[in-house]
Amino acid sequence: MSVTTLNEFIIQRQADFPYAKGELTRLLTHIGVAAKVVNREVNKAGLVDILGDAGTDNVQGERQKKLDIYADEKFIASLKASGECCGIASEEDQNIVTFDEDLPRQGKYILSMDPLDGSSNIDVNVSIGTIFSIFRRVSPVGHKASMEDFLQEGTKQVAAGYIIYGSSTMMVYTTGRGVNGFTLDPSIGEFCLSHPDIITPHSGIIYSINEGNYIKFPEGVKKYIKYCQEKDIPTGRPYTSRYIGSLVADFHRNLLKGGIFIYPKTAGYSSGKLRLLYECNPMAFVIEQAGGKGTDGRGNRIMDLKPESLHQRVPFYVGSRNMINKAEEFMTEFGDQEPDIKDFQ
Ligand code: AHM
Ligand code: MG
């Protein structure tokens, strides 16, 4: 049986871009290499003393795990070495990462990433992931990358995707011509095309939301959850509730099976929790390319939002298109105002 490796596939697809000179190809290839290195460490995590807090906080004020830092460093090093990437924004770094050397400054692309999403799940052996989003730079080639390179609307993404370190390790990405998934074959150390042209069902029977926050949700979300739990044979309700607490894993399952993932506003967090640049935009690009939708729950397409800051958060509704449309009907009818935080103090 013939297999198509990630590298072969990337090179084949280069022909899709008439003016491409192989730069994006090289960049994606380097992401695949870094993913394999991080995968090796994630797999070893239970065996070596690499678990636990590294003793520093990241810009979100959250405790960093050692593997977060490791993944951050590996991806930055690999992207820099590719010579195609002039700057990086990462969940783990307060400011954009730029380079003094001439080679990366000649790069035409920038990349935003969450190097290890869901890292609070590492010690309990639950799937985690890397999320990435690639743009063409707008600043002049040969100079350092600038903030305006990173604050572009998601519609301008040239590629985006994720790596899931799960029961098997996969890379799923899009360059705007559909979505393809590659599974790492550890025996040959290559990502192999396993999920060509992924299409997500228009409707599903899974809803994913942290229901522990129920009383802190806007009324529209509460009513939608009740709708998901009601019996209605034609629409497959009651739906199944599935929530891992690892965006990549929750998203990946819903992408393949059909479903809706919501991280809404909650009392005290008027923009929700997830980050626009390196969590929501790339996932929105993937889901749209698979036939689904990614919105802020108020009818606004995630990829149309104009980013204002690097670590900006946004309410996130993503998944099967009919389910997103239904959830938004509830938001319109019952409101998307989160309860006052004072009620919880
Ligand atoms: P992280 O980037 O610090 O790992 O946080 C993001 C994670 C997502 O993977 C997940 O969807 C979400 O946080 C879960 O949050 P909560 O525990 O509030 O439900
Ligand atoms: Mg994250």
Side-chain angles (χ1 to χ4, degrees):
M1 196 188 84
S2 85
V3 290
T4 304
T5 67
L6 175 64
N7 289 358
E8 288 166 353
F9 184 87
I10 292 170
I11 290 165
Q12 284 166 16
R13 284 297 170 101
Q14 194 183 318
D16 287 351
F17 302 93
Y19 304 108
K21 298 194 194 75
E23 292 146 339
L24 185 61
T25 300
R26 278 191 291 278
L27 187 53
L28 288 167
T29 305
H30 275 76
I31 292 173
V33 172
K36 284 192 262 186
V37 176
V38 171
N39 176 64
R40 188 189 62 199
E41 294 307 309
V42 167
N43 272 242
K44 283 198 309 207
L47 297 172
V48 294
D49 183 29
I50 200 167
L51 288 176
D53 289 346
T56 52
D57 283 354
N58 70 8
V59 289
Q60 322 295 339
E62 296 156 356
R63 296 294 277 179
Q64 276 187 341
K65 300 285 179 182
K66 282 181 187 170
L67 270 177
D68 291 14
I69 299 168
Y70 181 86
D72 194 42
E73 290 171 357
K74 283 297 161 209
F75 274 97
I76 290 173
S78 187
L79 293 162
K80 181 181 174 188
S82 76
E84 311 300 347
C85 181
C86 64
I88 297 158
S90 164
E91 179 176 359
E92 304 302 339
D93 301 296
Q94 173 89 50
N95 299 314
I96 56 173
V97 177
T98 56
F99 305 108
D100 293 325
E101 294 84 349
D102 193 47
L103 177 72
R105 282 193 188 192
Q106 296 298 331
K108 295 202 179 82
Y109 296 96
I110 62 98
L111 182 142
S112 295
M113 66 171 175
D114 185 347
L116 210 55
D117 182 66
S119 48
S120 61
N121 287 316
I122 296 169
D123 353 20
V124 289
N125 230 333
V126 168
S127 300
I128 48 180
T130 298
I131 311 172
F132 63 89
S133 163
I134 300 172
F135 289 82
R136 218 175 295 280
R137 72 188 298 177
V138 288
S139 59
V141 172
H143 292 74
K144 281 192 178 183
S146 69
M147 191 57 100
E148 58 171 346
D149 293 323
F150 294 88
L151 301 183
Q152 302 185 59
E153 294 92 339
T155 47
K156 306 226 173 82
Q157 289 173 105
V158 295
Y162 57 87
I163 297 111
I164 177 166
Y165 311 100
S167 47
S168 57
T169 295
M170 281 189 72
M171 177 160 159
V172 175
Y173 81 95
T174 181
T175 52
R177 283 176 171 71
V179 181
N180 291 281
F182 302 80
T183 303
L184 183 63
D185 179 344
S187 65
I188 56 169
E190 292 282 0
F191 282 104
C192 300
L193 181 62
S194 54
H195 295 64
D197 297 318
I198 297 173
I199 299 292
T200 197
H202 283 335
S203 298
I205 55 160
I206 297 172
Y207 73 102
S208 310
I209 186 166
N210 185 345
E211 283 186 71
N213 290 330
Y214 186 85
I215 57 169
K216 296 184 179 176
F217 288 152
E219 198 54 31
V221 175
K222 289 180 180 167
K223 289 281 197 308
Y224 178 69
I225 290 174
K226 288 297 161 211
Y227 164 86
C228 292
Q229 296 169 344
E230 279 162 17
K231 184 174 174 191
D232 180 61
I233 307 290
T235 52
R237 289 179 289 143
Y239 295 152
T240 297
S241 169
R242 290 281 182 272
Y243 191 75
I244 296 170
S246 205
L247 173 63
V248 175
D250 280 312
F251 178 92
H252 184 69
R253 180 202 53 239
N254 290 4
L255 172 73
L256 297 183
K257 295 195 166 186
I260 182 169
F261 173 95
I262 303 178
Y263 207 109
K265 303 170 169 184
T266 56
Y269 294 93
S270 59
S271 301
K273 176 181 184 186
L274 300 178
R275 274 53 64 113
L276 174 59
L277 262 57
Y278 43 80
E279 291 177 328
C280 304
N281 258 341
M283 293 313 206
F285 193 17
V286 171
I287 203 77
E288 285 198 9
Q289 284 295 314
K293 281 182 94 169
T295 76
D296 66 354
R298 302 170 58 181
N300 302 308
R301 187 183 174 207
I302 287 291
M303 291 205 293
D304 280 337
L305 302 177
K306 173 74 185 140
E308 284 162 11
S309 63
L310 223 45
H311 300 288
Q312 179 176 342
R313 298 173 194 262
V314 68
F316 194 35
Y317 294 61
V318 66
S320 297
R321 81 178 25 252
N322 294 343
M323 299 177 89
I324 300 293
N325 291 343
K326 179 56 82 176
E328 292 207 321
E329 280 173 28
F330 276 82
M331 301 311 293
T332 306
E333 187 174 350
F334 298 104
D336 84 328
Q337 184 61 46
E338 75 281 8
D340 199 324
I341 187 64
K342 289 197 206 79
D343 298 337
F344 299 93
Q345 288 167 338

